[in-house]
Amino acid sequence: MKSIYLMTSESSPLLHYRLFSASDGALGPPDSSPCGTEAVAMGTGPTQRKLSTFFGVVVPTVLSMFSIVLFMRIGFVVGHAGLLQSLLMLFVAYVIIWLTVLSVCAISTNGAVQGGGAYFMISRTLGPEFGGSIGLMFYLANVFACGVYVLGLVEAVLDVFGRDPSDVTDSLRSLPQGYGYSFLYASIILLLCMAICLVGASIYSQALFFIFLLVFVVLLTILISFLAVRPLTVSIRHGGNVSMTGVYTGINSSTLHNNLQADYSLDYTTGNLMNFATVFAVMFNGCTGIMAGCNLSGELKQPSRSIPIGTIIAVIITFFVYLILFIFTALTCDRTLLREDYGFFRAINIWPPFVLIGVYATSLSASMSTLIGASRILHALAKDDLFGVLLAPAKLVSKGGNPWGAVMYTWALVQLVLLVGKLNTIAGIVTVFYLIAYAAIDLACLALEWASAPNFRPTFRLFSWHTCLLGIVSCLVMMFLINPAYASGSIVLLLLLLGSIHFRSSSSSWGYISQALIFHQVRKYLLLLDVRKDHVKFWRPQILLLVSNPRTSCQLINFVNDLKKGGLFILGHVETGDLDSLPSDPVQTHYSFWLSLVDKLNVKAFVDLTLCPNVRQGTQHLLRITGLGGMKPNTVVLGFYDDACPDDYFLQDQLFTPGLSPKDDPFGVDATSLQAHFPPVRDAETSRLLSAKDYVSMICDALKMHKNIVLARNFPLLFRPDASSSSPATYIDVWPLDLLRPQASAYVDVCSLFLLQMACILNMAYSWRRYQLRVFLCVESRGGSDGASGWLAAEAKFRELLSKLRIRALIRVVAWDRVAAFRVQNSGEQGLNREPISSEYLNAANSAVTDEGGTETAVRFLYLPRPPADSSLHERYLEELDTLTSGLGPTLLIHGLTPVTCTEL
């Protein structure tokens, strides 16, 4: 059971693993080394889950949501925004938070949650690209938040103990002030936080519980002070001088009335004019700690139970505490006191040191919470190896499983943040980063809900896609209201990170929600795609290309990819064998190799394989069952049946050369295993799996099933039309007449028009636009004197047809008399009697096509006559086609049954 656990563990590194190896060519690891064990040992260590719901979620979440805002910014919010707008901000903030909490609860109760918290939930839902980019931004949000809380603590300390130049007799105010000193004090506090986090989560939770009790004692004294302290006047010092006074009135209706409306003014710490967005950014920063419990998911005993219960309890507690403090503050303090002294709680408390203790305790706890939470996120990112060597130090863990490398990494980044020096300056960045992370969590839950995956069965059901969508919209709107520049910059950063991870990462075993969403939507639209509503105006080729061996068919596969014009393209292959005599179906394990081939060739194609006793029967299966609903092939492409021994394309392209392939296949099929899977190219001595008679019978089968048929010959000689091509070819030639029996066909029958349509579609492909379409008309003078006028009439008539069909092409009239002379002996025949056609006529027709096209022709489209009904004539039919197309270069023989052109709107 241990080995099974290691294979399915989501803690294993994301990059550089193999499912297939050339040595065995089968599913499994490339060697016998216990790489999974090494990955787990390196990534996680012997971490023990010790924390309960209360200690692991409620306590850190409450303290993170209180932070410095509780004691140092309540007056700032109410003083600038007034009570009404403050309550509006509070409700808006908690609506956003509550919507996100619902999503967090849903995701966390849908399966086992490992270390990494929000990053783990997002990445395992939305995939590595989105999860990694959002995870890194959420990590940066925690880093900046830690800086905010440390600077807030320094601000609170200096507010009381900072040296006052105007009062040298006050021995209590002895700490020197200034930018350098503030940075020094902040660094010392951060060092203390790091030391506690390095000890481990257990000591951290115990310290946090003590702080939790202390903070609630302080809150109790503040509430008692609102009721017990009599009115008083408070002296406010700015820059060491008494600049103004504020008034504490006690509970007073007049004070409440004066504090109802907003009155934004300058912030005395930054000198900037405040507005709704800037004040909301600071206030919302005090509500962003809802992920503190999630970040410790790796240390929780029961994360799927503790995270939803603990987070909801913490959100309810903090909401009512903020609400009560907002109301009592507006009832008791005048606006001057609120706006000019952010630490006014200390001045009005029954014992001022209580507030200092609360400020220091909440700031210290929030700093530790964000530091340890950020380190856990970083450790999870490093384990998944999304950013390579850049985060390699963050993988290091102690014997007890504490990621000390990630703690040190995070400590260093927070030190850089402290250089900013102003709390309110960083608050906007923190808020925007948190909002985009919350929006991502809502998006993850929305995607799971919309995908309707059967395995999405969270035990927490108090959510819907409406709450998820509302959460996303509200987060994005508030981002741009707070700071459009920060919001735009964060989205640009997100896109850059997403692109970086996408291009450097391999496929993951986590599952992609995009696949579930695509399946859900495709199923809906396939049901809406009704074949009874098909119309010729919207016809497009839906092609089934039957491939015997990809080694000799890669050029044809690429060509058909250009020919499909946004239609369905399926690679079909028949493996011969009897399922009754086999232990399992070999086809199932071969799909990965074919899909890897599709990826390497960069074609937009599906793959369909079947197992049958013979090729013809397998082809019938593919013709009948390939496709789904309204997306079924209407055109079948076959390689031409001849004795040619084509070159091995795998030996010519570095994509298939072991050691030279630009990138390994993300699903574990490397070039070596791909080379080993497909059989070698057939030589002259190799027996065929298909007879000439069966090959023609396959053409008949396709026509009976009302499929258009295309035979492709000499495509290994095709020059790909790209900028580096040195081919002199500049034309796509179309011969819309049955060259075997021109007297029995016409230029305007269904097959000829289908031929023109396919050539036109190829010419519309981006890589074939520089080629000129050229149509050849075979005209006989019939010995009359008006031969020239007959030619002109035929050309004018055909030009009119092309004009109606909106096809731009050159028209060349070919004198067919010298070729027709070789079928004089058959002049009395009826066109469908299938009497032998002389080799002289076939050679003359071949020479005419060759001479008219020359070396300027890239590909030729020829009319394919219907095979004879008499199976005894099938081999002769194939011989006639072989002689006609011998040496012509890349050629398509086409027989169309479907009306595909329209001259009306």
Side-chain angles (χ1 to χ4, degrees):
M1 292 300 294
K2 181 178 180 182
S3 62
I4 294 175
Y5 169 76
L6 293 176
M7 287 176 65
T8 59
S9 171
E10 291 180 332
S11 297
S12 58
L14 173 61
L15 301 179
H16 313 305
Y17 65 88
R18 285 287 176 272
L19 296 178
F20 297 94
S21 64
S23 59
D24 55 11
L27 188 64
D31 52 47
S32 58
S33 62
C35 57
T37 306
E38 293 172 2
V40 174
M42 176 188 69
T44 60
T47 304
Q48 297 182 1
R49 295 178 178 266
K50 300 179 180 179
L51 301 182
S52 63
T53 301
F54 182 74
F55 288 101
V57 182
V58 176
V59 171
T61 303
V62 168
L63 291 179
S64 294
M65 294 182 72
F66 280 161
S67 67
I68 194 67
V69 174
L70 181 68
F71 296 109
M72 295 293 291
R73 290 298 182 266
I74 293 291
F76 168 82
V77 175
V78 178
H80 285 286
L83 179 61
L84 296 180
Q85 288 196 18
S86 298
L87 293 179
L88 176 63
M89 292 180 186
L90 182 66
F91 281 107
V92 169
Y94 270 83
V95 165
I96 296 173
I97 288 169
W98 186 251
L99 293 172
T100 304
V101 167
L102 295 180
S103 299
V104 169
C105 293
I107 296 175
S108 63
T109 59
N110 190 52
V113 180
Q114 299 182 27
Y119 159 70
F120 182 86
M121 290 187 286
I122 295 172
S123 62
R124 267 50 175 187
T125 302
L126 299 181
E129 294 91 348
F130 211 94
S133 53
I134 289 293
L136 185 61
M137 293 189 68
F138 189 55
Y139 167 75
L140 293 176
N142 278 273
V143 168
F144 279 101
C146 185
V148 167
Y149 301 143
V150 171
L151 290 173
L153 179 55
V154 170
E155 182 182 314
V157 170
L158 293 179
D159 196 39
V160 178
F161 300 104
R163 182 178 297 165
D164 187 353
S166 64
D167 188 3
V168 295
T169 61
D170 190 351
S171 60
L172 186 66
R173 304 177 67 89
S174 58
L175 290 177
Q177 300 193 58
Y179 174 79
Y181 284 108
S182 295
F183 179 74
L184 175 63
Y185 304 146
S187 299
I188 294 172
I189 294 170
L190 182 61
L191 192 63
L192 174 63
C193 295
M194 183 190 69
I196 296 174
C197 293
L198 284 175
V199 175
S202 180
I203 300 299
Y204 158 78
S205 65
Q206 294 174 22
L208 229 57
F209 178 63
F210 174 74
I211 295 174
F212 180 80
L213 294 177
L214 200 61
V215 167
F216 271 87
V217 170
V218 174
L219 284 174
L220 185 60
T221 66
I222 291 175
L223 294 177
I224 294 174
S225 299
F226 280 131
L227 301 173
V229 175
R230 295 181 179 181
L232 55 87
T233 300
V234 180
S235 298
I236 302 172
R237 295 175 180 268
H238 287 171
N241 299 318
V242 178
S243 56
M244 60 194 73
T245 59
V247 179
Y248 170 78
T249 64
I251 297 178
N252 189 295
S253 59
S254 298
T255 303
L256 176 63
H257 179 75
N258 293 333
N259 287 332
L260 285 178
Q261 303 301 323
D263 185 15
Y264 296 104
S265 61
L266 296 178
D267 170 26
Y268 72 84
T269 64
T270 62
N272 297 327
L273 180 64
M274 296 292 100
N275 53 44
F276 181 91
T278 55
V279 174
F280 178 80
V282 174
M283 194 224 64
F284 188 81
N285 192 54
C287 309
T288 53
I290 60 172
M291 293 297 179
C294 294
N295 293 340
L296 295 174
S297 57
E299 281 82 13
L300 295 173
K301 293 179 182 177
Q302 297 177 294
S304 294
R305 180 179 181 274
S306 298
I307 290 175
I309 295 176
T311 306
I312 290 174
I313 292 173
V315 168
I316 293 173
I317 291 173
T318 56
F319 173 77
F320 282 105
V321 169
Y322 276 124
L323 180 64
I324 293 170
L325 289 180
F326 277 1
I327 294 173
F328 273 101
T329 299
L331 277 168
T332 57
C333 303
D334 77 343
R335 199 176 288 270
T336 301
L337 178 61
L338 298 178
R339 287 191 304 202
E340 304 300 332
D341 185 6
Y342 298 155
F344 74 98
F345 278 146
R346 185 180 70 255
I348 67 171
N349 198 269
I350 53 176
W351 190 54
F354 262 135
V355 178
L356 288 179
I357 294 171
V359 170
Y360 301 158
T362 54
S363 300
L364 191 62
S365 66
S367 302
M368 288 190 298
S369 179
T370 50
L371 183 63
I372 197 170
S375 66
R376 269 45 180 182
I377 296 171
L378 184 66
H379 181 58
L381 282 166
K383 282 195 303 177
D384 289 335
D385 205 17
L386 293 177
F387 295 94
V389 296
L390 185 63
L391 299 184
K395 295 181 182 180
L396 301 174
V397 295
S398 66
K399 292 182 179 179
N402 188 33
W404 65 269
V407 174
M408 297 293 294
Y409 207 111
T410 306
W411 166 79
L413 289 180
V414 178
Q415 277 290 146
L416 296 177
V417 174
L418 296 180
L419 292 172
V420 176
K422 293 294 183 181
L423 186 153
N424 287 1
T425 303
I426 311 174
I429 302 174
V430 176
T431 304
V432 167
F433 275 20
Y434 271 123
L435 281 170
I436 200 169
Y438 293 166
I441 293 172
D442 289 324
L443 177 62
C445 190
L446 176 68
L448 287 169
E449 182 69 7
W450 273 356
S452 300
N455 281 321
F456 183 56
R457 298 188 298 270
T459 55
F460 182 88
R461 295 300 306 169
L462 298 178
F463 77 100
S464 70
W465 68 267
H466 304 85
T467 61
C468 301
L469 186 60
L470 185 60
I472 295 171
V473 172
S474 57
C475 287
L476 295 178
V477 169
M478 292 313 304
M479 278 173 54
F480 283 93
L481 285 179
I482 289 170
N483 193 310
Y486 288 165
S488 302
S490 66
I491 292 175
V492 171
L493 177 60
L494 172 65
L495 295 176
L496 290 175
L497 290 172
L498 194 148
S500 173
I501 298 174
H502 175 75
F503 285 112
R504 78 164 304 275
S505 70
S506 184
S507 178
S508 77
S509 59
W510 305 342
Y512 291 83
I513 189 62
S514 59
Q515 294 297 301
L517 288 170
I518 291 170
F519 176 87
H520 187 65
Q521 295 303 314
V522 167
R523 182 190 64 85
K524 285 184 177 179
Y525 286 116
L526 275 176
L527 291 172
L528 295 175
L529 192 59
D530 192 342
V531 294
R532 296 169 297 181
K533 298 178 181 178
D534 284 348
H535 194 280
V536 65
K537 289 190 295 185
F538 309 112
W539 182 91
R540 67 181 69 231
Q542 302 194 88
I543 300 174
L544 170 63
L545 171 60
L546 296 175
V547 179
S548 175
N549 189 345
R551 289 178 179 272
T552 61
S553 306
C554 289
Q555 294 98 323
L556 181 58
I557 293 172
N558 284 315
F559 176 79
V560 175
N561 187 62
D562 293 335
L563 190 62
K564 69 181 186 304
K565 184 55 180 175
L568 182 67
F569 180 21
I570 300 175
L571 298 181
H573 175 70
V574 179
E575 296 196 16
T576 56
D578 187 1
L579 189 59
D580 291 338
S581 61
L582 298 172
S584 63
D585 185 3
V587 167
Q588 302 305 316
T589 58
H590 295 174
Y591 270 98
S592 293
F593 296 99
W594 282 85
L595 292 174
S596 177
L597 173 73
V598 168
D599 292 337
K600 287 186 180 295
L601 293 176
N602 194 27
V603 295
K604 298 176 181 179
F606 298 95
V607 173
D608 207 349
L609 311 178
T610 188
L611 179 72
C612 277
N614 59 73
V615 175
R616 182 184 177 189
Q617 186 178 345
T619 302
Q620 291 174 353
H621 290 177
L622 291 175
L623 290 172
R624 286 194 180 97
I625 65 175
T626 297
L628 185 64
M631 294 192 69
K632 295 182 74 70
N634 55 32
T635 303
V636 180
V637 180
L638 296 171
F640 195 79
Y641 190 96
D642 56 21
D643 295 324
C645 297
D647 296 330
D648 189 342
Y649 185 81
F650 283 11
L651 301 179
Q652 302 173 11
D653 195 326
Q654 68 171 5
L655 285 173
F656 302 95
T657 304
L660 296 179
S661 180
K663 63 177 181 179
D664 292 332
D665 185 86
F667 293 93
V669 182
D670 56 17
T672 303
S673 57
L674 202 63
Q675 286 269 16
H677 174 73
F678 293 111
V681 173
R682 175 182 57 83
D683 55 30
E685 299 178 357
T686 305
S687 60
R688 294 175 178 269
L689 296 176
L690 185 68
S691 66
K693 186 175 181 179
D694 284 342
Y695 176 81
V696 180
S697 297
M698 286 166 50
I699 299 175
C700 296
D701 294 339
L703 294 175
K704 289 176 183 178
M705 296 182 191
H706 207 70
K707 307 290 185 184
N708 308 300
I709 190 74
V710 179
L711 305 183
R713 188 175 192 186
N714 296 326
F715 272 84
L717 304 177
L718 179 71
F719 283 92
R720 289 286 293 161
D722 51 38
S724 61
S725 175
S726 58
S727 171
T730 56
Y731 292 105
I732 300 171
D733 287 354
V734 183
W735 295 78
L737 194 68
D738 182 359
L739 299 182
L740 294 185
R741 290 173 175 80
Q743 74 280 9
S745 64
Y747 288 114
V748 291
D749 64 4
V750 171
C751 186
S752 297
L753 294 177
F754 185 87
L755 202 70
L756 285 169
Q757 182 79 338
M758 295 296 284
C760 181
I761 289 172
L762 178 65
N763 195 217
M764 293 168 68
Y766 177 78
S767 55
W768 290 87
R769 288 178 184 173
R770 68 182 182 89
Y771 287 80
Q772 177 70 51
L773 201 62
R774 189 165 59 174
V775 182
F776 291 88
L777 302 183
C778 302
V779 179
E780 298 180 39
S781 63
R782 303 186 185 278
S785 59
D786 57 346
S789 60
W791 289 8
L792 294 175
E795 181 180 356
K797 185 177 180 181
F798 199 80
R799 193 178 301 281
E800 181 182 1
L801 173 65
L802 294 180
S803 176
K804 290 180 179 179
L805 297 176
R806 286 104 44 216
I807 296 177
R808 300 178 61 183
L810 297 177
I811 300 177
R812 291 187 59 172
V813 178
V814 179
W816 203 246
D817 297 86
R818 60 185 178 87
V819 179
F822 292 101
R823 58 176 173 85
V824 172
Q825 65 272 23
N826 298 326
S827 59
E829 298 175 0
Q830 297 299 319
L832 298 179
N833 285 342
R834 294 296 173 190
E835 292 296 328
I837 300 176
S838 67
S839 59
E840 292 82 1
Y841 173 81
L842 293 172
N843 289 326
N846 175 268
S847 299
V849 173
T850 303
D851 296 341
E852 291 293 337
T855 59
E856 298 176 333
T857 303
V859 62
R860 291 176 172 87
F861 287 74
L862 302 185
Y863 189 114
L864 175 67
R866 182 183 285 271
D870 187 354
S871 60
S872 63
L873 302 178
H874 284 177
E875 293 186 10
R876 193 186 73 197
Y877 167 79
L878 194 57
E879 292 171 358
E880 293 172 354
L881 295 179
D882 179 66
T883 305
L884 177 65
T885 58
S886 178
L888 289 185
T891 303
L892 294 179
L893 290 159
I894 299 178
H895 189 91
L897 301 177
T898 310
V900 294
T901 56
C902 181
T903 59
E904 300 176 356
L905 286 177

